[in-house]
Amino acid sequence: MYHRVLAEPDPLQPDVPHQALLAEQFRTLAGAFNVLPLHEAAELLQQGGLPPGAACITFDDGYRDNHDLALPLLREYKLPATVFVATGYLNGGRMFNDSVVETVRRLDTGEIDLSRVGLGKRLVSDVASRRTLIGDLTKAVKYLDPAERDEFCEELCRRADSRLPTDLMMDDAQVKAMSDAGVDIGGHTVSHPILARIDGDTAQREIETNRDQITALTGKQPLCFAYPNGKPNLDYTSAHARMVSKAGYRAAVSTAVGVASDDADPFQLPRFMPRERSAAQFVARMVRMATHRHRQVAD
């Protein structure tokens, strides 16, 4: 599971892979694993016919760098992937977590009062303090009411006293280009809400409107869905899984860390984010996870 990919390493986002690292991981996947489209893997899993070494590649949210930097690598290594798109942020939008990162990046050195979100007064100085602040702020505002969260992020942006980027997400043409290149475009709601924090009618509307917008953009109804934030029973519930199934999806993924055993719910498939910084470590973890899956099935 990936989100962004950067042209160069970013000290404020050490867990985000840069293009050279992603190329190394993709080269490893292409050479050592059986990489399948997610919808195909989910179907084979249900049938008990998933081949050895099966793996899937997914990207969440719909970042422009998925098109600019990841797509050329997917083509080079002939790898399938699914990109889950939150359609409300296309064409110049910015997600709240990126507002946090880009604001903290631009803050002057000094003290900032964040008592409004329970963080008190914090000193902003070096890279380490900014990185810590990004993590703390993201956690502090993630579960706020969406309107309150947006209002706080706007206030935070004003403190940076500079223009934040508006080109982080794909535009319609780039989504269509990825789809035309063979990348599956999956559903991820319109505005990326925490589904468990909104009422059922709104959640269903988010799921179905996103599906319809993706269908209109690509000419194909999306086959797979990713729950925003994605923690089972905290960010979404079984009721939302039923909504996704009713909306015509074949499978859905969470952010529960793990690999799918043969008896996994196809609408609550686990994933994990590769954080390794070398091919050897990457392969070791993939093999370890695969071994764990076979042990789960045997048990």
Side-chain angles (χ1 to χ4, degrees), residues 185 208 228:
I185 304 300
E208 294 180 354

Side-chain angles (χ1 to χ4, degrees), residues 142-216:
K142 180 179 291 186
Y143 290 102
L144 292 177
D145 175 81
E148 184 182 358
R149 186 181 67 192
D150 291 345
E151 180 189 349
F152 173 78
C153 285
E154 288 177 12
E155 176 191 322
L156 190 66
C157 290
R158 287 193 291 272
R159 299 192 193 193
D161 196 28
S162 63
R163 186 175 177 82
L164 300 188
T166 58
D167 61 350
L168 297 178
M169 313 306 290
M170 284 190 282
D171 59 28
D172 292 349
Q174 289 164 333
V175 174
K176 179 67 161 60
M178 292 201 81
S179 177
D180 290 347
V183 174
D184 286 338
I185 304 300
H188 200 39
T189 72
V190 176
S191 63
H192 204 275
I194 305 294
L195 291 172
R197 297 296 182 99
I198 59 178
D199 65 81
D201 289 343
T202 303
Q204 185 169 341
R205 188 162 55 249
E206 283 273 347
I207 292 166
E208 294 180 354
T209 301
N210 175 244
R211 174 203 61 195
D212 295 344
Q213 290 173 340
I214 290 172
T215 303

